[in-house]
Amino acid sequence: MATAHAAHAHPARRRPAVLGDLLPGSLTRDAALVTGSAVLVGIAAQIAVPLPGTPVPVTGQTFAVLLAGAALGPARAALGMALYLVAGLAGVPWFTDGEAGAGAPTLGYVLGFIVAAAVVGRLAGRGGDRTPLRTAGTMLIGTVIMYATGVPYLMASLGVDLGRAVELGLTPFLAGDALKVLAAAALLPAAWRLAGTGRDRST
């Protein structure tokens, strides 16, 4: 009887599913994380390097989206990316190069941010960011999702065929995306080890 009472008096602490869960608080923390992730992507969008022959620049956005998804989990990350999209459409100049509104041919990538962040967050919550190999797979899936929405939108916006859209909106970025995946595969498991909770999840 005393043992049962003690168990109720001192419930086991819930293991953090994603890095954002390590921060104290609940609703206030979540609101700050959602807003912060949108701001982070907006700042990363201003780090843009134009490439000749394509309207799609090299930016830090996709890396920020992948990290936000892994760190925040599916719900908070998706809300953060939705906030980024809605605020940008409403006029906040934090799309690439300070643009806003719905006219950019790269808007499809931004739509993909929401889905990619949610999927990466879900995978991370199941241990997909605890080892370098798992993290690389998780980041690769998120990257594919962003291209799966960005390239068709680019094709429709520019009035080109799929092959040309791939040449403009995917092929020039493969090497950079590989580096981003490798960077995430090094950073996220290291963050878990520093937090002292880096053991693999069983699911």
Side-chain angles (χ1 to χ4, degrees), residues 18-63:
V18 293
L19 288 166
D21 294 335
L22 297 172
L23 299 175
S26 54
L27 184 60
T28 302
R29 172 201 64 188
D30 291 344
L33 290 173
V34 166
T35 304
S37 66
V39 172
L40 174 64
V41 174
I43 292 172
Q46 310 317 308
I47 306 170
V49 179
L51 295 179
T54 174
V56 185
V58 174
T59 74
Q61 278 180 297
T62 55
F63 191 54

Side-chain angles (χ1 to χ4, degrees), residues 41-48 59 61 81-104 106-107 110-111 113:
V41 174
I43 292 172
Q46 310 317 308
I47 306 170
T59 74
Q61 278 180 297
M81 297 310 100
L83 174 61
Y84 174 68
L85 171 63
V86 172
L89 291 175
V92 176
W94 61 3
F95 289 161
T96 303
D97 288 333
E99 294 181 354
T106 55
L107 187 63
V110 180
L111 294 170
F113 291 172

Side-chain angles (χ1 to χ4, degrees), residues 65-66 68-70 73-85 107-124 138-150:
V65 171
L66 295 173
R76 291 176 298 208
L79 284 173
M81 297 310 100
L83 174 61
Y84 174 68
L85 171 63
L107 187 63
Y109 297 97
V110 180
L111 294 170
F113 291 172
I114 301 172
V115 181
V119 171
V120 168
R122 176 65 65 188
L123 293 173
T138 297
M139 299 298 113
L140 181 59
I141 290 170
T143 301
V144 169
I145 291 171
M146 286 185 273
Y147 281 121
T149 58

